[in-house]
Amino acid sequence: GLGLSSKKDENFGEWYSEVVVSGEMIEYYDISGCYILRPWAMSIWEILQAFFDAEIKKMKIKNSYFPLFVSPGVLQKEKDHIEGFAPEVAWVTKSGESDLEVPIAIRPTSETVMYPYFSKWIRGHRDLPLRLNQWCNVVRWEFSNPTPFIRSREFLWQEGHTAFATKEEADADVLEILELYRRIYEDFLAVPVSKGKKSELEKFAGGLYTTTVEAFIPNTGRGIQGATSHCLGQNFATMFEINFENEKGEKAMVWQNSWGFTTRTIGVMIMVHGDDKGLVLPPKVAATQVIVIPVLYKDANNQGIFDACAATVKNLNESGIRAEADYRDNYSPGWKYSHWEMKGVPLRIEIGPKDLANNQVRAVRRDNGAKTDITVANLVEQVNDVLASIQQNLFDVAKQKRDACVQVVKTWDEFAEAVSQKKLILAPWCDEEDVEKDVKARTKGEMGAAKTLCSPFDQPELPEGTLCFASGKPAKKWTYWGRSY
Ligand SMILES: O=C1CCCN[C@@H]1CCCn1cnc2cc(F)c(Cl)cc2c1=O
Ligand SMILES: [Mg+2]
């Protein structure tokens, strides 16, 4: 098909909506905020799922499946848990022609679904730790602008729910999972993220503290929450009476965590790496890492070229590289080049008469367009090297772009200037909630309210006497601020 009609740096929103469809990841659906995930997207989810599932199995976390439906009683168990969320709960009110006696909610998250049973299953300390995960969909009937992968009314995720005898175990579990989320973004999706803690205002209100991996979209100058790992403390244990008899025979409440990542990961990857020719997929998450294109000539040895293509695909697949050939005879090589560039396949291999004669193939990188001739004898080794180089290069370029957006500020004026320039702002803050609310209020306006994104675990040095950029009070920590999704 034809190329994209919008340019990423000129009209990002249009570019994104177009590239997810032209790259055959998304099909728009007739219900607003809902999208069809086509195989080209689903294959990425499956790769991330396989990695994460294997890792949590190493941690002895077990998969389970809880019902989609939530009875109103448990969902509304505790007001401040669902405070503010109520408008986005979807309800089933009918079956067939008849109204349900009592409307049933569709899970927006499963704490209230699971925890009555945690209470039933956890009796003594030998029942701990209890660590369950589920891979499922959730529904949140949000009204802010729906965006494929980034904000949809239904999305796929995993949600982990763990219970421990001590806070120390819960604290460790929170960070162990957060590290897996960092690996998903940095090692698989080649997207740099900042690990940190959410502020009291931005955290999950039902929990004790929230840790997060924060990404940043340079084109829009907006931060985005990549995944979250919450320590729930004993809040839900209190609500749902989840207690156990400890080793001293005393009744004690469990310490809990809940953590999740979603199909939003795919949207972040697209936004960070995509370009005006289409998607750019990091090899680690590409269902097809190498596409082999036969370049035929009217009077050439075309059978020889087809055989070379087949041998190349076979050779690569046998060494664990995901390779396909595009033999369609109703499309020209040029059309195929554009098509597979649009789909973001990391490496293209062209085989024409000259390549055949020289017993080599022509490799073309999707990330930087570099072309290299590879001798057939070194094919597997060199393709592996190029794929690794593409993976690393995508991360390095994304990190350099993200770091270029970071602006360290010390005063309100510097902060306001940085917000208007859509920067990722690192500022010393007194960590007071009223000040955070005040900053949000003062920055409301055409440039979009700035909020805290996270306080990075990796804190720069905070010299004695440094003052908060907003309140002038003694600063307690460096915090990332910015506009966000
Ligand atoms: O973020 C995660 C990771 C995976 C498990 N859950 C937690 C907390 C989810 C917060 N949250 C987020 N959104 C919600 C929307 C709702 F409609 C209701 Cl009723 C509740 C919530 C809500 O509790
Ligand atoms: Mg929400």
Side-chain angles (χ1 to χ4, degrees):
L2 294 176
L4 296 173
S5 54
S6 302
K7 298 240 177 295
K8 185 181 183 185
D9 293 340
E10 285 167 18
N11 190 329
F12 184 76
E14 294 286 324
W15 169 84
Y16 181 75
S17 303
E18 197 180 348
V19 79
V20 295
V21 172
S22 299
E24 299 180 328
M25 283 208 178
I26 288 279
E27 188 66 59
Y28 282 84
Y29 191 59
D30 70 325
I31 296 173
S32 169
C34 297
Y35 306 95
I36 296 163
L37 300 185
R38 300 181 67 184
W40 201 240
M42 200 59 198
S43 58
I44 297 176
W45 183 244
E46 289 178 331
I47 288 170
L48 299 179
Q49 183 175 27
F51 162 74
F52 190 81
D53 206 58
E55 288 300 317
I56 59 174
K57 281 186 166 66
K58 289 180 197 167
M59 294 168 64
K60 306 277 176 276
I61 294 167
K62 296 191 174 11
N63 280 324
S64 57
Y65 187 79
F66 286 73
L68 171 73
F69 303 109
V70 199
S71 49
V74 284
L75 188 77
Q76 288 146 353
K77 186 99 181 175
E78 218 261 2
K79 284 293 164 260
D80 84 349
H81 162 59
I82 76 159
E83 137 257 339
F85 289 131
E88 59 193 61
V89 178
W91 294 89
V92 179
T93 58
K94 292 176 68 167
S95 74
E97 283 308 302
S98 52
D99 291 346
L100 293 190
E101 277 294 293
V102 178
I104 295 169
I106 297 177
R107 69 179 166 226
T109 182
S110 300
E111 280 80 2
T112 59
V113 173
M114 294 180 165
Y115 298 168
Y117 301 94
F118 276 34
S119 174
K120 186 177 179 200
W121 297 333
I122 297 170
R123 290 280 158 231
H125 61 86
R126 290 182 192 80
D127 301 321
L128 295 174
L130 175 62
R131 307 203 290 196
L132 301 184
N133 180 68
Q134 68 176 6
W135 293 94
C136 67
N137 63 333
V138 286
V139 173
R140 297 175 187 176
W141 215 257
E142 302 205 35
F143 290 89
S144 46
N145 51 322
T147 309
F149 299 114
I150 300 297
R151 191 179 298 108
S152 52
R153 285 177 159 168
E154 177 189 12
F155 54 87
L156 306 182
W157 75 349
Q158 56 64 224
E159 48 178 320
H161 296 267
T162 53
F164 302 92
T166 65
K167 182 178 185 299
E168 290 66 32
E169 290 170 282
D171 290 341
D173 178 71
V174 165
L175 296 179
E176 204 168 344
I177 296 296
L178 194 70
E179 170 58 9
L180 294 181
Y181 293 153
R182 182 200 65 76
R183 289 174 62 189
I184 282 172
Y185 274 97
E186 299 200 335
D187 300 349
F188 282 82
L189 299 169
V191 171
V193 290
S194 302
K195 274 187 189 176
K197 195 176 172 215
K198 284 284 184 186
S199 69
E200 283 306 295
L201 186 64
E202 293 300 331
K203 76 173 189 184
F204 169 31
L208 182 61
Y209 63 82
T210 291
T211 67
T212 176
V213 284
E214 292 289 319
F216 187 75
I217 310 298
N219 279 76
T220 54
R222 295 167 78 178
I224 185 163
Q225 184 174 293
T228 45
S229 183
H230 312 279
C231 177
L232 306 178
Q234 297 178 309
N235 300 357
F236 284 87
T238 307
M239 244 193 280
F240 290 92
E241 296 176 57
I242 310 172
N243 38 50
F244 67 105
E245 193 178 288
N246 68 16
E247 285 162 22
K248 287 172 261 165
E250 300 148 348
K251 200 168 185 180
M253 284 195 291
V254 300
W255 291 88
Q256 289 176 273
N257 298 334
S258 74
W259 26 264
F261 83 97
T262 77
T263 36
R264 161 179 285 196
T265 47
I266 300 170
V268 173
M269 178 275 292
I270 293 166
M271 289 184 162
V272 167
H273 299 309
D275 65 17
D276 290 339
K277 293 198 285 189
L279 301 170
V280 180
L281 301 186
K284 285 254 178 64
V285 296
T288 301
Q289 296 169 312
V290 182
I291 186 74
V292 178
I293 313 282
V295 185
L296 308 176
Y297 282 80
K298 49 191 174 311
D299 56 0
N301 166 11
N302 289 339
Q303 190 51 51
I305 287 173
F306 284 127
D307 295 346
C309 289
T312 300
V313 169
K314 183 172 181 295
N315 206 343
L316 292 174
N317 285 341
E318 278 168 0
S319 62
I321 295 168
R322 299 186 287 270
E324 300 284 341
D326 184 346
Y327 295 113
R328 292 176 293 179
D329 62 4
N330 54 329
Y331 293 111
S332 69
W335 186 93
K336 293 177 185 179
Y337 298 168
S338 303
H339 172 74
W340 294 106
E341 284 168 354
M342 180 65 76
K343 287 179 71 76
V345 170
L347 191 64
R348 174 174 80 233
I349 281 184
E350 303 163 9
I351 301 181
K354 194 171 44 57
D355 306 301
L356 193 62
N358 299 343
N359 209 17
Q360 65 187 33
V361 301
R362 164 61 61 96
V364 185
R365 293 171 57 140
R366 177 67 182 85
D367 61 334
N368 62 14
K371 298 178 188 308
T372 46
D373 292 327
I374 298 176
T375 56
V376 172
N378 299 342
L379 180 78
V380 169
E381 184 192 348
Q382 294 212 359
V383 167
N384 270 320
D385 288 351
V386 172
L387 290 175
S389 167
I390 293 170
Q391 184 78 29
Q392 187 61 50
N393 181 50
L394 286 174
F395 179 81
D396 293 346
V397 168
K399 187 163 185 324
Q400 181 271 327
K401 280 184 184 164
R402 192 279 309 268
D403 292 349
C405 295
V406 175
Q407 179 96 39
V408 177
V409 305
K410 294 264 174 70
T411 68
W412 176 262
D413 290 348
E414 288 171 357
F415 178 84
E417 175 61 21
V419 173
S420 66
Q421 289 175 2
K422 301 185 181 179
K423 297 289 186 181
L424 173 54
I425 303 159
L426 189 55
W429 177 40
C430 60
D431 195 16
E432 291 187 15
E433 195 165 320
D434 290 350
V435 174
E436 183 173 4
K437 286 179 180 168
D438 184 46
V439 172
K440 282 177 101 167
R442 288 168 74 182
T443 52
K444 244 182 175 42
E446 80 293 337
M447 60 184 157
K451 60 200 280 194
T452 58
L453 302 169
C454 76
S455 292
F457 293 150
D458 182 10
Q459 283 281 308
E461 207 242 323
L462 186 65
E464 188 57 41
T466 303
L467 301 178
C468 172
F469 77 97
S471 68
K473 295 178 181 175
K476 293 225 184 78
K477 52 173 64 166
W478 287 96
T479 301
Y480 279 116
W481 297 71
R483 301 154 77 247
S484 84
Y485 281 86

